[in-house]
Amino acid sequence: MRLFVALAVPEAVAGQIVALQEMLGTGRLVPEENLHLTLAFLGDVAGADLADLDLALADLRSPAPMVELAGIDLWDEALVIGVRANPVLEALARKVAVAVRGVVEMPRRRFRPHVTLARVRPGDAVRVGRFLSARADAVLTPFAAEGFTLYRSHLRAEGPLYEPLAEYPLG
Ligand code: 2AM
């Protein structure tokens, strides 16, 4: 099963992202219920490892990071909103990686915290350019992440379905 660990985006902030998506007016928008900040992408994990993964994540201790989404950028075909520098969040992502690697292999990748807003194509360039000129410096309301979630991603023709498997408290 395809798994990842992420922070859910609270409703009020998700609403601000939806307003940005409406301004963008092009691309494949990430549905509101799918908005998240990935802490670790595990890829394909055997079902037999799930219980150990759950125990390892449940053991993790971290303060609740204050997350401030700010600054929109285009990473290849992904339009993303970044995160203001955040040592607590970075330490949390490291702890998640250590917990996960105690159970399954996971590729080493630099943690670049972001929330993906939309996926765009070269044909969307004019609208994306206009949107970035107007809103690249967007700053959203900060939120305290009071927990993190282990998600299963079901890939479907109409877009992925993210199924929360377990939630772990922070703070
Ligand atoms: P993205 O938002 O930049 O697309 C579920 O797929 C989540 O895991 C997404 O947030 C995705 O990031 C992230 N992710 C990180 N590495 C990935 C990979 N190699 N393949 C798919 N998703 C990945």
Side-chain angles (χ1 to χ4, degrees):
M1 60 185 86
R2 189 178 167 89
L3 301 180
F4 64 101
V5 175
L7 302 179
V9 175
E11 232 170 86
V13 179
Q16 296 176 332
I17 293 177
V18 169
L20 289 168
Q21 290 174 326
E22 283 167 2
M23 279 189 72
L24 171 64
T26 192
R28 278 180 296 135
L29 306 178
V30 175
E32 184 170 0
E33 66 274 14
N34 278 9
L35 293 168
H36 65 275
L37 190 164
T38 300
L39 296 169
F41 179 73
L42 283 62
D44 211 31
V45 171
D49 289 326
L50 197 54
D52 286 341
L53 203 51
D54 178 51
L55 284 176
L57 292 172
D59 262 352
L60 189 158
R61 293 290 170 269
S62 159
M66 279 301 293
V67 178
E68 188 172 14
L69 298 177
I72 300 175
D73 201 0
L74 188 59
W75 293 353
D76 299 323
E77 56 159 23
L79 197 64
V80 304
I81 184 156
V83 179
R84 283 258 165 88
N86 191 325
V88 177
L89 180 67
E90 278 162 31
L92 170 60
R94 276 198 300 278
K95 289 177 193 176
V96 169
V98 168
V100 166
R101 288 203 182 95
V103 182
V104 295
E105 279 182 36
M106 189 175 65
R108 273 173 203 282
R109 298 178 71 191
R110 192 161 78 86
F111 178 53
R112 290 202 294 166
H114 65 279
V115 175
T116 300
L117 310 184
R119 295 196 165 72
V120 296
R121 298 214 171 101
D124 300 317
V126 172
R127 279 175 187 255
V128 170
R130 254 190 235 137
F131 174 74
L132 287 174
S133 306
R135 296 310 315 263
D137 56 1
V139 179
L140 307 191
T141 306
F143 63 93
E146 278 153 6
F148 66 94
T149 306
L150 174 64
Y151 288 97
R152 178 172 181 181
S153 169
H154 299 268
L155 297 179
R156 306 174 303 175
E158 66 269 36
L161 173 75
Y162 299 147
E163 177 194 2
L165 297 181
E167 289 188 23
Y168 308 91
L170 292 167

